[in-house]
Every structure is written in C-alpha cells, then in structure tokens.
Amino acid sequence: MKQDLVISVDAMGGDLGPEMVIPGVDISLERHPGLRLILFGDEQQIAPLLEKYPRVRERSELVHTDVWVNMDDKPSQALRRGRRVSSMWLAIEAVKEQRASVAISAGNTGAWMVMAKFVLNTMPGISRPAMAAIWPTLRGESVVLDVGATIGADAELLVDFAIMGEAMARSLFGIERPTVGLLNVGVEEVKGVEYVRTAGRMLRNSQLPIEYYGFVEGDDLGRGTVDVVVTEGFTGNIALKTAEGTARQLASYLRAAMSRSWVSKLGYVLAKGAFAQLREKMDPRNSNGGVFLGLNGIVVKSHGGTDAVGFACAMDIAVDMARNDLVQKISKDLAAKQSLMEFVETGNGAANGAATSIAGEKA
Amino acid sequence: MKQDLVISVDAMGGDLGPEMVIPGVDISLERHPGLRLILFGDEQQIAPLLEKYPRVRERSELVHTDVWVNMDDKPSQALRRGRRVSSMWLAIEAVKEQRASVAISAGNTGAWMVMAKFVLNTMPGISRPAMAAIWPTLRGESVVLDVGATIGADAELLVDFAIMGEAMARSLFGIERPTVGLLNVGVEEVKGVEYVRTAGRMLRNSQLPIEYYGFVEGDDLGRGTVDVVVTEGFTGNIALKTAEGTARQLASYLRAAMSRSWVSKLGYVLAKGAFAQLREKMDPRNSNGGVFLGLNGIVVKSHGGTDAVGFACAMDIAVDMARNDLVQKISKDLAAKQSLMEFVETGNGAANGAATSIAGEKA
C-alpha cells in the first residue's frame, strides 16, 4: 500500500468557504481513501461541518486561524494582513515544512499566488511561476499555461513554461512524450510576436527531451492538437475565459432552442440521456483546478465559484501531482536545461539575425 | 430610391475561388437589388459562371486579370507579383479611384491587408489599421477589434481602435452610443498590462463622445457585455480562434451525444426544428466578414473557407459599411480626437505616475 498522502487545505477559500470545501474534501476522501488532510481556518465554522462529515473529521487535523483572506482583498492587502497567520499562508507553509505534499485553495487567486511565491520561492532558474489549466479537448485533455500568473513574457520564460508544462502532462496523463506547442496567430515560422518566434527556435534547436510540435492557433486548443500549449499569461487568461464564455453561450442557445415548442420539449425528454452526457462533457467542474508551476512545492487553485464536486476535482489533480512527484520531475528537467541551453544560445544569435529580416518581410 | 452602390470584388479569393464567389454575389444581389459590381479575375474561369448566374452578369462589369494571389502566398511575394496587376490590387484600386465604395475578397488575409494598406494608406493620425470582426453574443452582436492585423499595440493605438470600432458599431447596429470596453484579465483598474491600463485612463478621462464601459474579460465577449471590444491583434486573433474552436468542439460533442442510442436519435428527430435554430445561431457563416478599419476606404475580408452563403453575409457587411459612410464617420471622430487628446495628455502624466505605484502593488 502507498504511504498516506497529506494535503493542506485552505478551508476558508471559495465563494461559499467551508460549506463547499468540507463536502468537497469528503468526496475526495471517498475516491482516495489513503489521503490525510490538514485543514486551516475558523474552527467555529469548520467544527460543525466536521460533525456532519465524520469521514473528513477522521482523516484530518484542524488548525484554527483567526485570519483568512477575503475573495475581494487585494493581494498586497492579503499579504499584509495574512502573513504568518492566515489560513492561506499556513496551508502553504505546511508544504514548505514538508508536513504536506501539496496545498489547495479555492480562495482569492492573486493572494494565493503571491503567498505561494513568498513562502515557497521560485525554483532555481525560474524567474516567474506559471498557472497551468487543464483544458478539455476533442482528444481528451491538454495542459495550457500560463493562464494568468504572469503578464508579459520573453522567449526564455516560454521555454521554462514548456519544460514545466511537459512535466505536468507526463504526471497527469501518464504519457511518456507529450507534444508541446506554442500559441501563436499562425503556424508559419515567420508569424506572430518576436519572443514567441525566438522561443520556437529555442525549442526546435535545443537538445531538450521535449517533443516540440511547433506553433498552434486558438482553435487548436479545443481540437487538442498538442498535449501542452504554452503562452504568456495575458493571452492565456483571455483565451481560457473566452472558451468558458463561448461554452456558456452555446449552452444557453441550446436551452432556448429545446424549450421553444412542445415537440422540441418532447425531443429533449427523449434525448435526456444524451443531454446528460453532453452536460458532463461541458461541465467546467470536471476540469476545475489550476496548478502553480515553478515553485518549490505544489500549489493548486480551485475555481472560487465551484461547488463540492468541482473542488473534489481540483483535489484529484492535487493528488495526481503529488503522487507523481511533479516538483522533482521539473527540477530534474530544469537542471538538464541549464547545460543544454548554452548550446541553444550559441545557435540563437544567428537565428535571431535571420529572424529580423524575415520579420521585416511580414509587414 | 437610393443611388446604386458599387462593390469591387476580388473574384479569385477563397479556397474555391470564383465557384464560391459568383454564387455568393448572386445571393447578395437578391438581397440588395440596387447593387452593382466590378469583378476582377480570370475571365476564363469567371465567364462560364456568369452564364449560370445571369443576375450577376447583368449587374456587373468583369475586368480580366492574368494574375491572382494564392491562398498560401507570403504577403511580400503577393505584393511583388501582384502589384498593379492582380485581381486583389485592382479591386482595391477601384475604391481608391472612387469607382467603387468598398472592396471585398475571400483571399489570403495577409496579402489583402498589405495591398489595402499600400493602395489606400492609413487615415491621418492612424499609425496602423485594424481588422474588426463581428462577434455573435447572447445579446446580439458586438464589434471586436483588432483580430489580427496588428501585432503589439500601445495605449494610443488602442484608443484609435476604440474610436474606429465605435463608429463601425454605430453604422452596423444603428445604435447611437455603443458601449466600448477594453479586453483585459480583470475588471479592476490595477489589472493587466500597462498599455491597456493607460488606454483605459485615456478613454475614461477624455472628452471623446465615447461611452466607455471599462475593462472586460474573455467571457464578456460571448455575453455581449459591451458593443465594442478593443484589444491588440495577437490576443484578439487568439480569442477569436479559441471561440471558433470551442464552438466546433461543442457541436461535435452534441452530435456524438445525439447519435448514441435510438432513443436519443428519436429525440433528435423530434427536436429537429430546435436544432436547426441552434445550428443557425452557431453558424460561423452568419458572422462572416472582417472589416479593415483605419484606411482611406472600406475593405472587407471574408473567410477563405466559407461558401456562397457566408460570402453573401460578408457582402451584407460591405453594403452596410458603405451605405453608412463609415470612412466619413471615422475621419470625423479622429479629427475630433486630435483637439480632445491634448487635454487627455496633460492629465495623463499624473495618472501615469499614480499607476506605477499601483502596478507595483499588484505583484
């Protein structure tokens, strides 16, 4: 039997706080009986819930905190008030002190990110961490990063994201050589912004053990053309929310269409099973859970507006990442990169020169 | 009765060329009987089609060209080969020489853009043109720009896009004061990249007659939160293609769900009318047609892969833009901006200073 895995949970996170988190943890314990938890938060709110969920009570240690971060606190505010004392801070500290393998919260994303960076620090060689999302595709699922942790990037940062995303895809999907693509506005080498083109050449020419596919476009995300899609956080965040918005829009069209006459309503009733399957496919809860990559520890972010089912899904990801030693995998790959990158940088100077003239032609 | 409107058509554009364009023009003539056309392209291919579509033959003048641009030509190549002689070039030249009010092509986007810029030039005060798309939303339609003409932008360019997009929304939707939002990764003033925040302050503080809403996020696109969404071309292009990809993905889930059992198939048959309505809503042909804004003339781009119905839809947009004197509207607004911007720039220095400290806090 595997050793118990310990997850530290910010029980105060999410729009509904402990009322959503504790039932979510309960579902997760049903799926992963070997799990143990450290719950951080307000005892007064959490203790009565533990009475209702004896399985959670049995498998967890509750650490009371007087302070927690609100969903609309500014990260700087949260850090000032919550440092060393808040449920978020302490949940992450448990990972730093190796009392837990991974920390999870459905709380304020900005605050969670800032605290995670503050407590765990970035890995050697990584300038900025990324947030990776799991994107449902026609082929299954892909890892997409960064979806909003960084704003702006350079070529080297994108290469780091590629390395980290690739390691995550290996852990999550259990495939040996996941394919990696760079998000761009066209697939030809001359397309797009300079730093994306440079990153493309670096990945293409490097000796890194990465299956680099090339550029992909926005519609390749849903198609699942590659296992890992790499982009900078501003664009990644907008792409993610655009896809979520489009899915909601089409679901609303479908509802309206199905209720427009009694015949279509009858059709709906007959096709109910099919719709249930469709709903399952489209359910954002099933791909809930972002992972911060590039820190000395694993930190998972659940959607703030999710319910217990969605939170359990984010817990699944946390379990997967921890069981597969994601941080170890990434450190190993980053270490390998250091030696391989010297080679690339030599080649890169020349490649850069060529690119300038190609870029000029693009106009 | 209105005066005849003349549209110049690159008859060689699109994956299927004249075989798609001529039937598309035919549909358009049915809808707009007052239309006249100048068709540019290979007589050998077009003439037989005109026999089949007498309505098109009757209302158009055919100008033979020996040269046309291929879908996969590089823009620079296309310009070298196609200058002064290609169907694309001549279609745009007809607008410059005021023989036509608007030019349309379903051909190579890059080449079409480069030639349009070359022949028509940008309007006074506009550094780079934009491509605006019409985005179907839960509330109707929005104008989204730029979806790929520019890569990278600064605050002033975004303000120009806002002015041009607003004028287009007035022409297209017939509303007096369309709302305008800037695409960002959060709605708070401190969120996102510096140039987007600066553009936000410029629009907020300016005396421009623009109904500035504030920042919007990716999921506001499908929701139709504002009438005009302004962004830089790299992000805009990725958002557009991500939405298209998501729509295709969900349509494919729906098809699979509906054919999984005989009961769901029966349900599908009963709900056929509803599905037809849904298909209509989701049909990308119904929002086909991008408009290049910021040039001394109107140039419309149809999807290359569309069919006659989709091309007719792009023709509708061309007609709307021309009938509403879009170029006039934009020049007027840009002229007004010149005087109003002095005011903004004074205020802007101070605002910039404040922003730096706020940005520092974001971390």
Side-chain angles (χ1 to χ4, degrees):
Chain A
M1 214 190 110
K2 281 178 200 164
Q3 209 194 320
D4 276 4
L5 187 73
V6 183
I7 296 188
S8 65
V9 181
D10 164 25
M12 307 306 285
D15 296 344
L16 301 175
E19 305 257 352
M20 176 282 287
V21 174
I22 303 301
V25 169
D26 186 59
I27 298 172
S28 186
L29 278 170
E30 200 178 339
R31 295 189 199 152
H32 312 281
L35 212 58
R36 292 184 44 75
L37 306 136
I38 316 177
L39 305 173
F40 295 89
D42 180 22
E43 193 170 2
Q44 222 183 321
Q45 290 180 60
I46 299 167
L49 288 161
L50 294 182
E51 292 308 307
K52 279 174 68 184
Y53 295 94
R55 181 164 44 196
V56 181
R57 191 188 48 202
E58 214 169 274
R59 302 292 297 170
S60 55
E61 170 196 342
L62 172 58
V63 179
H64 171 75
T65 69
D66 284 322
V67 179
W68 53 92
V69 174
N70 294 314
M71 291 307 273
D72 53 358
D73 283 348
K74 284 199 189 125
S76 55
Q77 235 179 340
L79 195 60
R80 234 175 357 249
R81 274 205 323 119
R83 197 172 167 168
R84 296 188 201 288
V85 292
S86 62
S87 56
M88 271 194 180
W89 180 284
L90 295 172
I92 300 164
E93 208 168 54
V95 172
K96 190 188 177 185
E97 292 166 356
Q98 305 195 350
R99 288 178 288 121
S101 297
V102 44
I104 186 169
S105 173
N108 182 323
T109 310
W112 186 233
M113 183 87 212
V114 167
M115 286 195 191
K117 243 169 95 172
F118 214 97
V119 175
L120 294 173
N121 284 322
T122 49
M123 291 173 144
I126 292 288
S127 56
R128 288 185 291 168
M131 183 159 161
I134 294 155
W135 196 292
T137 75
L138 285 174
R139 282 180 52 235
E141 284 177 330
S142 302
V143 168
V144 179
L145 75 167
D146 171 40
V147 295
T150 64
I151 297 293
D154 58 19
E156 177 142 17
L157 190 63
L158 289 188
V159 171
D160 290 343
F161 287 177
I163 292 171
M164 299 194 296
E166 200 257 1
M168 177 169 158
R170 267 186 289 142
S171 295
L172 200 64
F173 309 141
I175 39 180
E176 240 175 77
R177 284 182 72 86
T179 51
V180 178
L182 288 172
L183 192 59
N184 202 347
V185 294
V187 295
E188 304 86 4
E189 284 214 13
V190 297
K191 282 286 178 94
V193 273
E194 182 58 37
Y195 73 89
V196 176
R197 291 201 300 267
T198 306
R201 283 192 303 275
M202 286 167 85
L203 287 168
R204 170 101 46 221
N205 301 334
S206 84
Q207 303 293 306
L208 290 171
I210 281 189
E211 199 69 36
Y212 176 60
Y213 171 92
F215 296 148
V216 294
E217 299 189 64
D219 49 350
D220 288 304
L221 285 162
R223 203 176 279 139
T225 306
V226 290
D227 300 308
V228 182
V229 177
V230 174
T231 186
E232 161 276 336
F234 184 78
T235 305
N237 182 275
I238 287 172
L240 179 68
K241 288 186 179 152
T242 300
E244 288 172 349
T246 306
R248 268 201 295 275
Q249 181 183 3
L250 298 186
S252 150
Y253 288 161
L254 184 61
R255 267 194 306 277
M258 281 302 155
S259 57
R260 65 168 205 150
S261 74
W262 69 266
V263 183
S264 63
K265 275 181 199 158
L266 178 61
Y268 175 79
V269 171
L270 286 174
K272 226 171 176 175
F275 280 111
Q277 188 192 7
L278 180 68
R279 207 172 300 124
E280 168 89 15
K281 274 272 189 199
M282 286 178 61
D283 194 339
R285 295 180 305 182
N286 293 332
S287 45
N288 179 35
V291 180
F292 293 156
L293 297 178
L295 300 174
N296 294 305
I298 308 171
V299 174
V300 171
K301 170 70 179 72
S302 157
H303 263 294
T306 197
D307 60 10
V309 174
F311 192 80
C313 204
M315 291 280 294
D316 284 345
I317 294 171
V319 170
D320 259 356
M321 298 296 99
R323 287 242 191 272
N324 287 292
D325 267 336
L326 179 61
V327 172
Q328 284 278 352
K329 275 199 177 112
I330 293 179
S331 332
K332 220 184 93 201
D333 293 350
L334 286 174
K337 180 197 142 191
Q338 300 309 341
S339 56
L340 294 167
M341 236 40 202
E342 287 164 44
F343 165 84
V344 177
E345 258 147 49
T346 330
N348 194 29
N352 247 332
T356 314
S357 60
I358 297 172
E361 136 155 335
K362 214 197 115 271
Chain B
M1 213 190 111
K2 282 177 199 164
Q3 209 192 320
D4 276 5
L5 186 73
V6 183
I7 296 187
S8 66
V9 181
D10 164 25
M12 307 306 286
D15 296 344
L16 301 175
E19 306 257 352
M20 176 282 287
V21 173
I22 304 300
V25 168
D26 186 58
I27 297 172
S28 185
L29 278 170
E30 200 179 337
R31 293 188 199 154
H32 312 280
L35 213 58
R36 291 184 46 73
L37 306 137
I38 318 177
L39 306 173
F40 295 89
D42 180 23
E43 193 169 4
Q44 221 182 321
Q45 289 181 61
I46 298 167
L49 287 162
L50 293 182
E51 292 309 307
K52 279 176 65 185
Y53 295 93
R55 181 163 45 195
V56 180
R57 191 187 49 202
E58 215 169 88
R59 304 290 297 171
S60 56
E61 171 196 342
L62 173 58
V63 179
H64 171 75
T65 68
D66 283 322
V67 180
W68 53 91
V69 174
N70 295 316
M71 291 308 273
D72 53 359
D73 283 348
K74 284 200 190 126
S76 55
Q77 234 179 341
L79 194 61
R80 229 167 11 240
R81 274 201 326 116
R83 199 171 165 166
R84 294 187 204 288
V85 291
S86 63
S87 57
M88 270 195 181
W89 180 282
L90 295 172
I92 300 166
E93 207 168 55
V95 172
K96 189 188 178 183
E97 293 166 355
Q98 304 194 352
R99 288 179 288 118
S101 298
V102 45
I104 186 169
S105 174
N108 183 322
T109 309
W112 186 233
M113 183 87 214
V114 167
M115 287 196 190
K117 241 168 96 173
F118 214 97
V119 175
L120 294 173
N121 283 322
T122 49
M123 291 175 146
I126 292 288
S127 55
R128 287 185 292 169
M131 182 157 160
I134 294 155
W135 196 292
T137 75
L138 286 174
R139 282 179 52 232
E141 283 177 331
S142 302
V143 168
V144 179
L145 76 167
D146 172 37
V147 295
T150 64
I151 296 292
D154 58 19
E156 178 143 15
L157 191 63
L158 288 189
V159 172
D160 290 343
F161 288 177
I163 292 171
M164 300 194 296
E166 200 258 0
M168 177 169 158
R170 267 186 289 144
S171 296
L172 199 64
F173 309 140
I175 38 178
E176 241 173 79
R177 285 182 71 85
T179 51
V180 177
L182 288 172
L183 192 58
N184 202 346
V185 294
V187 295
E188 304 86 3
E189 285 214 14
V190 297
K191 282 285 177 96
V193 273
E194 182 57 37
Y195 73 90
V196 176
R197 290 202 300 266
T198 306
R201 283 191 303 274
M202 286 166 86
L203 287 168
R204 170 99 48 217
N205 300 334
S206 84
Q207 303 293 305
L208 290 171
I210 281 189
E211 198 70 34
Y212 176 61
Y213 171 91
F215 295 148
V216 294
E217 299 189 64
D219 48 350
D220 288 304
L221 285 161
R223 204 177 277 140
T225 306
V226 289
D227 300 308
V228 182
V229 177
V230 174
T231 186
E232 161 276 336
F234 184 78
T235 305
N237 181 276
I238 287 172
L240 180 69
K241 288 185 180 153
T242 300
E244 288 172 351
T246 306
R248 268 201 296 275
Q249 181 183 2
L250 298 186
S252 150
Y253 288 161
L254 184 60
R255 267 194 307 277
M258 282 303 157
S259 57
R260 64 164 207 156
S261 73
W262 68 267
V263 184
S264 62
K265 276 182 197 155
L266 178 60
Y268 175 79
V269 170
L270 287 174
K272 225 171 178 174
F275 280 110
Q277 187 192 6
L278 181 68
R279 206 172 299 122
E280 168 88 16
K281 274 274 189 197
M282 287 178 60
D283 194 340
R285 295 180 306 181
N286 293 332
S287 44
N288 179 33
V291 181
F292 292 156
L293 297 178
L295 301 174
N296 295 305
I298 307 171
V299 175
V300 171
K301 170 71 180 66
S302 158
H303 262 292
T306 197
D307 60 9
V309 174
F311 193 79
C313 202
M315 291 280 293
D316 284 345
I317 294 170
V319 170
D320 258 355
M321 298 294 100
R323 287 242 192 272
N324 287 292
D325 268 336
L326 179 62
V327 172
Q328 284 278 351
K329 274 199 179 112
I330 293 179
S331 335
K332 221 184 91 199
D333 294 349
L334 287 174
K337 180 198 143 191
Q338 300 308 342
S339 56
L340 293 168
M341 237 39 202
E342 289 164 42
F343 165 84
V344 178
E345 259 147 49
T346 329
N348 196 29
N352 248 332
T356 314
S357 58
I358 297 172
E361 134 154 343
K362 212 194 118 278

